Amino acid sequence: MKLDVDVLRYLSKDDFRVLTAVELGMRNHEIVPTELIDRIARLKHGGTYKVLKNLLKHKLLHHDSSKYDGFRLTYLGYDYLAIKTMVNKGVFVGVGRQIGVGKESDIFEVVCEDGTVLAMKLHRLGRVSFRAVKSKRDYLRHRSSYNWLYLSRLAALKEFAFMKALETHSFPVPKAVEHNRHCVVMSLVQGYPLVQVKQLQNPEIVFETILGIVVRLAEHGLIHCDFNEFNIMIDDDEKITMIDFPQMVSVSHRNAQMYFDRDVECIFKFFRKRFNLSFQESIDDNDDSDEGKDEDGRPCFSEIERSAGFLDKELAASGFTRKDEEDIQRFIEGGAEAETNSDSEVDSVEDLNESILLQDEEHENKGKDESCEAAESSASEREDATDEEENEMENEAELTKSLNKQRRHAIAATRRGRKSHASRNSYKDKGGRSSHNSKLQKQLSGW
């Protein structure tokens, strides 16, 4: 969605109050009910529905009435909330042209009160070009439910934290100024993306500088994971600046070596194609400085020592677990004690082994006694079971005899009842000849 800040100057306090109410309601609602928005906003003179209609006209909200009547924020409404907060803080006073578009963000120029130009990055996760965020990024961690606005906020927070930490360790990154929601404000890099550069005065020096940044990041415990010509800026003096940090992971990540090798491969492939560098010649010239590298001059991930620090621990980078933190604490606190107390540890280990052997012998003896007792008890149980089975067989025979007798008596009784009932019905005559003859006999006897 295109960012049009002209509408921003015409929005009132009630408009931003209703936008904030929708944002608060989206913490536990995908579509915020209209009644809830009215209760959260608490406008003095009412008119929440009128404000919602105005915001819907400017596409700051989306209306949904499939299940119930409600609204949700759009990316444009989220942009307005972040820009309004930045303006109130005095970070900048104006928004300029768009200078970059990516699969996860848009970048704009902003102007401060003193005239300095900064860069504003608005994260926009959920575009059609990149929707596999849950599998490709670790913003969610343990969370199961999410929306794109919340994921964009997490990505901006993570990028701001990485930018601040890398700047303190003298890495060539933009200066982080401020962040709010899904917006990050940083210094504007005066340069060009490396992918747009066709010629370099010293391509070998630039190549070595870029490769050194990858190795130095690994020494600090981090891997960029997207270190290619699109995320490297270069100025007229061939000074390098790296950008785009939300996807960085720790060297303790399970796929750390794959990510590291992929970053190195991207650099080698680009310089080989664009500037026709032959890396074998540079290796022959610098044989003394190629320790920890392959035959092609590629740095080996397994031979990089983390001697510069633990930035992945400080920033909780992806792949750095609690176990790694405990191991580091043991390494830092108990490094010298481990050497002095090695003899005592050996003695304690031997004592533990002896006690474990004694316990095993006791368990074996107990197991033998228990097996004998179990065998005796099983034999007695078998005898009792046979006696019980014989008694049950006798009882079953008696029951069958009594049931057969009762069955015979019942059958005989039913047969007797049928005979008597049939004889009673046989003498009944419903207006036949026999009944007519009996009537004549009675009349004659009366005469």
Side-chain angles (χ1 to χ4, degrees):
M1 184 178 290
K2 184 179 179 181
L3 178 62
D4 185 10
V5 294
D6 292 336
V7 183
L8 185 64
R9 68 183 71 178
Y10 300 111
L11 294 180
S12 62
K13 290 183 179 179
D14 291 345
D15 294 332
F16 282 105
R17 192 175 182 87
V18 173
L19 278 177
T20 307
V22 177
E23 181 189 12
L24 292 174
M26 287 184 67
R27 290 182 177 179
N28 49 11
H29 290 82
E30 185 177 356
I31 303 295
V32 187
T34 309
E35 296 80 6
L36 182 61
I37 297 172
D38 190 20
R39 289 200 302 268
I40 295 174
R42 292 182 181 179
L43 298 181
K44 290 183 179 180
H45 305 290
T48 305
Y49 294 93
K50 184 179 179 180
V51 174
L52 287 171
K53 186 178 179 181
N54 183 38
L55 296 174
L56 186 63
K57 181 179 69 175
H58 296 298
K59 297 182 180 180
L60 305 181
L61 295 176
H62 174 75
H63 180 247
D64 190 353
S65 59
S66 58
K67 295 182 179 179
Y68 53 86
D69 190 58
F71 295 84
R72 64 172 175 85
L73 271 177
T74 61
Y75 263 117
L76 187 59
Y78 209 45
D79 295 342
Y80 276 25
L81 285 173
I83 292 171
K84 180 66 174 177
T85 305
M86 292 288 189
V87 172
N88 292 339
K89 287 182 178 180
V91 179
F92 55 83
V93 294
V95 180
R97 63 188 179 92
Q98 187 174 5
I99 59 176
V101 180
K103 66 180 185 296
E104 299 179 64
S105 61
D106 292 338
I107 303 171
F108 298 85
E109 286 183 346
V110 291
V111 183
C112 298
E113 193 172 2
D114 56 356
T116 58
V117 181
L118 302 175
M120 178 182 67
K121 185 174 183 179
L122 298 173
H123 289 261
R124 299 190 187 281
L125 299 181
R127 285 176 167 166
V128 179
S129 59
F130 187 69
R131 286 195 170 180
V133 178
K134 192 170 182 180
S135 59
K136 302 293 184 183
R137 299 286 185 267
D138 67 329
Y139 307 143
L140 286 174
R141 294 184 183 271
H142 60 279
R143 305 174 186 89
S144 58
S145 61
Y146 63 95
N147 59 44
W148 296 118
L149 298 180
Y150 182 65
L151 284 180
S152 300
R153 176 180 170 273
L154 292 179
L157 179 63
K158 188 173 182 181
E159 182 169 23
F160 183 81
F162 277 116
M163 208 182 305
K164 274 284 189 185
L166 294 173
E167 182 187 353
T168 55
H169 287 78
S170 302
F171 278 92
V173 297
K175 182 181 179 182
V177 178
E178 187 61 61
H179 81 96
N180 182 263
R181 293 178 175 87
H182 67 313
C183 172
V184 180
V185 180
M186 65 192 81
S187 61
L188 184 63
V189 178
Q190 301 296 332
Y192 318 94
L194 188 60
V195 68
Q196 298 178 4
V197 178
K198 303 299 181 182
Q199 292 181 353
L200 289 174
Q201 295 180 357
N202 302 305
E204 293 85 2
I205 297 175
V206 175
F207 172 77
E208 292 294 335
T209 304
I210 294 173
L211 203 61
I213 292 172
V214 177
V215 175
R216 192 168 160 227
L217 278 173
E219 290 174 352
H220 282 78
L222 294 173
I223 298 173
H224 192 278
C225 294
D226 198 13
F227 202 74
N228 50 39
E229 61 272 17
F230 298 96
N231 293 325
I232 299 172
M233 304 290 290
I234 187 168
D235 58 5
D236 295 332
D237 299 329
E238 297 186 353
K239 184 180 178 182
I240 298 299
T241 305
M242 63 176 178
I243 57 174
D244 195 14
F245 312 103
Q247 71 282 339
M248 295 184 78
V249 299
S250 169
V251 293
S252 302
H253 195 275
R254 58 182 179 180
N255 297 326
Q257 185 170 359
M258 184 268 290
Y259 290 137
F260 181 83
D261 294 339
R262 186 177 67 182
D263 288 349
V264 174
E265 177 62 26
C266 287
I267 298 166
F268 272 78
K269 186 176 179 180
F270 175 75
F271 275 87
R272 186 187 297 112
K273 286 186 176 182
R274 180 66 58 87
F275 305 108
N276 296 322
L277 284 184
S278 57
F279 303 108
Q280 193 65 32
E281 295 178 0
S282 60
I283 294 169
D284 296 336
D285 297 336
N286 301 321
D287 290 336
D288 298 334
S289 60
D290 287 339
E291 295 180 358
K293 294 185 179 181
D294 294 338
E295 296 178 356
D296 297 336
R298 303 171 188 267
C300 296
F301 177 76
S302 58
E303 297 182 5
I304 295 175
E305 297 181 359
R306 294 179 58 178
S307 58
F310 302 98
L311 277 178
D312 52 353
K313 176 194 171 186
E314 296 175 8
L315 299 170
S318 175
F320 190 84
T321 59
R322 186 177 296 176
K323 184 175 180 294
D324 298 330
E325 185 176 357
E326 293 175 357
D327 294 339
I328 288 172
Q329 292 296 331
R330 290 173 188 168
F331 176 76
I332 294 173
E333 295 176 0
E337 295 178 0
E339 296 178 356
T340 56
N341 298 330
S342 59
D343 296 335
S344 60
E345 287 179 357
V346 171
D347 296 336
S348 62
V349 169
E350 291 178 355
D351 295 337
L352 284 172
N353 290 332
E354 291 178 358
S355 62
I356 290 168
L357 289 172
L358 291 172
Q359 289 177 0
D360 292 338
E361 291 178 357
E362 292 177 359
H363 283 301
E364 288 178 358
N365 294 329
K366 287 181 180 178
K368 290 178 181 178
D369 297 336
E370 289 176 356
S371 63
C372 294
E373 292 176 358
E376 293 176 357
S377 62
S378 62
S380 60
E381 287 176 356
R382 287 173 186 172
E383 292 177 357
D384 296 337
T386 53
D387 295 337
E388 289 178 357
E389 288 177 357
E390 290 176 358
N391 295 327
E392 287 178 357
M393 292 290 288
E394 292 176 357
N395 294 329
E396 287 179 358
E398 293 177 357
L399 286 172
T400 52
K401 288 180 181 179
S402 62
L403 288 172
N404 290 329
K405 286 181 181 180
Q406 291 177 2
R407 184 180 178 186
R408 292 192 197 107
H409 289 302
I411 292 169
T414 53
R415 286 176 180 175
R416 290 170 193 164
R418 286 175 184 173
K419 286 179 181 179
S420 60
H421 188 67
S423 62
R424 201 179 302 138
N425 292 332
S426 63
Y427 287 102
K428 284 185 178 180
D429 190 4
K430 298 179 180 179
R433 290 181 179 178
S434 60
S435 62
H436 182 67
N437 293 330
S438 62
K439 286 180 181 178
L440 288 172
Q441 287 177 1
K442 286 180 181 179
Q443 289 177 359
L444 292 171
S445 62
W447 285 103

